[in-house]
Amino acid sequence: MSSQRTMAANTDRHALLMGGSGQIGEAAVARLLAAGWRISALSRQPRQSRPGLQWLAGELDNPGELPHQVDCIFSMGPLDAFARWYAASSIDCPRVIAFGSTSLETKQTSLDAHEGDLALRLHQAEASVFATASQRSAVATLLRPTLVYGSGRDQNISRIAAMARRSGFFILPSGASGLRQPVHVEDLAAAALAVFDCDAAGGKAYALPGAEALPYDQMVARTLRALAPSARLWRLPMPVFRLAVKVARASGRLQGLTDAAISRLGEDLVFDDSAARADFGYAPRGFVL
């Protein structure tokens, strides 16, 4: 375990939070307030401020008036937009903690042009954040979660659950057994706060998977069993499944399910969190719905 800063009273700590209304951001706001931080959080939609939390109207491309100085910037939104804002900003801040994605690794060789572009943008954004921080004598840490769940707002587990509730079943192709490590939003928020007090985390990027590596179909089956009432999992031969997806796309559904995503259902997407565990005590939970 790395040496930790001596924990002083947090009441004088001021955070600027980007993406505070998002799924990880909401969990981070609660934890920061509980730890005594003052928070200035950016939101596209008007929100009600409360003691310790000031909501600022704006977005990264047009943020409006922001604090001139804070103790830490936490970014829980799109990393490429944050990297552009950070490079152009003049804010005085010694510490930056920003979320990216393991898609930087999993999609960099994708044959899907949009996925390849996403991986490239994530890579460039990470490099930009580190470079900008270095130019300003600040310390940056990048966090790369994998399959996020727990808020009811994600596009993976929650989307599967919503579709199964409507129909009473969910369809997968045979062979959808690639390993996944779903990670809970609360564990990600806890990691962000732990990183702030970890000197060893400066200048590094960490993968943040969940504690369990589950075959994709087992992950889905567990999700369906947790529903009330539970839903059934149907498995189809891959050619039949691809035909069903083609028909669904033609009717305007499943637009986000690409051929590349279907191919990855049989691939293991597993990440090593040993550095995060060693440096700042990362301890994610198992897949608990």
Side-chain angles (χ1 to χ4, degrees):
M1 182 75 66
S2 70
S3 61
Q4 303 287 311
R5 294 192 186 103
T6 301
M7 289 295 291
N10 289 344
T11 53
D12 61 343
R13 287 178 170 177
H14 186 189
L16 175 59
L17 188 59
M18 307 299 197
S21 58
Q23 57 177 338
I24 304 173
E26 285 188 343
V29 164
R31 286 181 176 269
L32 287 166
L33 289 175
W37 284 70
R38 285 189 299 122
I39 306 171
S40 298
L42 194 66
S43 174
R44 292 188 182 92
Q45 302 298 325
R47 292 177 177 268
Q48 184 65 46
S49 297
R50 60 183 192 267
L53 172 61
Q54 179 188 19
W55 283 104
L56 306 172
E59 53 189 51
L60 282 169
D61 291 332
N62 185 24
E65 187 68 24
L66 298 176
H68 298 295
Q69 183 177 22
V70 294
D71 296 293
C72 185
I73 302 171
F74 293 92
S75 172
M76 277 77 175
L79 185 61
D80 52 351
F82 172 73
R84 290 194 301 271
W85 170 83
Y86 183 45
S89 73
S90 59
I91 191 168
D92 180 7
C93 177
R95 195 70 173 92
V96 175
I97 299 167
F99 279 86
S101 171
T102 52
S103 292
L104 179 148
E105 299 178 31
T106 62
K107 296 179 180 177
Q108 61 180 338
T109 59
S110 175
L111 297 178
D112 184 279
H114 295 291
E115 292 186 349
D117 179 65
L118 171 62
L120 178 61
R121 286 189 285 113
L122 285 168
H123 177 79
Q124 292 174 336
E126 283 198 2
S128 175
V129 171
F130 281 130
T132 302
S134 178
Q135 292 165 7
R136 300 178 183 181
S137 299
V139 176
T141 301
L142 274 295
L143 303 176
R144 301 171 180 167
T146 181
L147 199 152
V148 181
Y149 77 101
S151 69
R153 298 164 58 189
D154 62 272
Q155 293 300 307
N156 296 291
I157 302 299
S158 295
R159 188 179 183 188
I160 290 169
M163 294 174 67
R165 283 193 188 98
R166 290 194 297 268
S167 64
F169 62 89
F170 192 81
I171 299 174
L172 283 177
S174 300
S177 57
L179 296 178
R180 298 295 186 271
Q181 297 166 293
V183 59
H184 199 281
V185 289
E186 291 289 349
D187 295 328
L188 297 176
L193 269 67
V195 163
F196 179 83
D197 285 303
C198 177
D199 293 330
K204 297 180 181 178
Y206 295 91
L208 297 183
E212 286 188 82
L214 296 169
Y216 192 93
D217 53 0
Q218 291 186 25
M219 180 187 73
V220 172
R222 193 182 297 186
T223 300
L224 302 185
R225 286 196 300 269
L227 300 177
S230 62
R232 297 181 62 185
L233 176 59
W234 293 354
R235 293 177 173 86
L236 299 177
M238 180 60 83
V240 178
F241 180 81
R242 288 188 181 275
L243 178 60
V245 169
K246 184 176 181 179
V247 171
R249 287 175 184 159
S251 66
R253 295 174 292 166
L254 294 180
Q255 296 304 311
L257 185 59
T258 65
D259 291 338
I262 294 172
S263 297
R264 280 195 300 274
L265 293 176
E267 299 175 6
D268 292 344
L269 304 182
V270 178
F271 304 91
D272 182 6
D273 66 357
S274 58
R277 289 178 180 271
D279 286 355
F280 53 89
Y282 181 58
R285 70 198 71 189
F287 183 47
V288 180
L289 293 166

